Amino acid sequence: MRLDGKRAIVTGGGSGFGAGIAARFAAEGAQVIVADIHMENARKVAGEIGGHAIHADVADGASVKALIALASEHMGGIDILVNNAGITHLPAFMEEVSEDDFDRVFAVNCKSVYLTARSLVPALKAQGTGAILNIASTAGISPRPRLNWYNASKGWMNTATKAMAVELAPFGIRVNALNPVAGETPLLASFMGEDTPEMRARFLSTIPLGRFSTPRDLANAALFLCSDEADMITGACLEVDGGRCI
């Protein structure tokens, strides 16, 4: 019960890493809001873990504002925010990625962090405590060709994490990030271009521990960084990558 009494929001909580984090948080005693643009997925996960589902488009300011207000009303406040929702563009040379794809990647992966902070930080400052966790990627540390603008968006998340941590530390708010390698999530095929045994083998050959990251891996790391056990850790961008970035 390492999160007993805590109140958490997990964006993109309806699938993949987000679903794993939401489940682990609930198992450790937290009230959990599963926020997702796909409500069927959100309701399914929330039903399984005893949480509550709320529709949210993290790239839209009004939707994020409503999410924070509804979550706070439902739980009586918010202690933890996990900015997990994210997308990528399909592998392509940088000059071939459409402007619409570029705008969508930066809206979901970057602008969302600004929007959630704008809506939530005042309340966290008022209570003098809180934890924000941004789910970035090894792509932001060790970029790979043909995912250029996705790489850049995740590098932005790591820098934003450190900048947020420095500014919010005097208010008792910690901000950290996780950098997973590709995992068994709905985005895997997009990262690889196609999901075939050959592509999987090629990708796995770049991971020293020889496997993809799993929702359980991310959930374990997220649990630690969002718990009081990590109350001296802020601005950390932890690699959960099986050695991919070595």
Side-chain angles (χ1 to χ4, degrees):
M1 304 300 286
R2 293 154 72 184
L3 297 181
D4 190 29
K6 301 291 187 182
R7 302 156 298 184
I9 298 174
V10 181
T11 69
S15 63
F17 294 149
I21 292 169
R24 188 62 190 277
F25 280 15
E28 292 288 340
Q31 294 184 67
V32 180
I33 297 294
V34 180
D36 206 292
I37 199 168
H38 302 292
M39 276 304 287
E40 183 178 350
N41 294 344
R43 290 192 187 100
K44 181 176 183 295
V45 172
E48 292 171 350
I49 68 173
H52 183 71
I54 295 179
H55 177 270
D57 177 355
V58 297
D60 179 79
S63 182
V64 169
K65 184 177 180 180
L67 165 64
I68 299 302
L70 289 170
S72 183
E73 179 181 354
H74 180 78
M75 298 188 294
I78 300 164
D79 303 295
I80 298 168
L81 167 67
V82 180
N83 284 310
N84 168 76
I87 61 169
T88 184
H89 55 80
L90 291 173
F93 291 115
M94 65 177 73
E95 70 274 19
E96 296 174 358
V97 175
S98 72
E99 186 174 350
D100 285 345
D101 282 349
F102 174 92
D103 286 344
R104 185 62 179 161
V105 165
F106 274 79
V108 175
N109 294 358
C110 302
K111 186 181 179 182
S112 62
V113 178
Y114 155 73
L115 292 174
T116 55
R118 184 178 68 171
S119 292
L120 178 60
V121 163
L124 296 184
K125 284 182 175 180
Q127 68 191 28
T129 184
I132 297 173
L133 182 66
N134 298 322
I135 308 302
S137 169
T138 54
I141 300 173
S142 179
R144 291 184 293 115
R146 303 181 75 239
L147 283 175
N148 193 79
W149 309 118
Y150 172 76
N151 297 335
S153 75
K154 292 302 187 177
W156 182 97
M157 288 185 77
N158 283 320
T159 300
T161 295
K162 293 180 180 294
M164 293 168 71
V166 169
E167 181 170 327
L168 295 178
F171 300 96
I173 304 165
R174 299 184 301 106
V175 188
N176 293 293
L178 294 179
N179 286 286
V181 73
E184 298 283 358
T185 75
L187 288 182
L188 181 60
S190 296
F191 288 132
M192 297 190 300
E194 57 179 341
D195 191 353
T196 64
E198 293 76 19
M199 289 300 294
R200 284 187 173 230
R202 185 183 307 172
F203 200 102
L204 286 171
S205 70
T206 69
I207 304 173
L209 285 183
R211 67 174 178 84
F212 293 114
S213 56
T214 67
R216 177 180 175 275
D217 296 324
L218 271 291
N220 287 339
L223 171 61
F224 170 65
L225 287 177
C226 292
S227 74
D228 291 340
E229 295 171 17
D231 61 7
M232 189 56 175
I233 300 176
T234 195
C237 298
L238 178 64
E239 295 155 25
V240 186
D241 68 348
R244 168 73 174 80
C245 289
I246 296 173

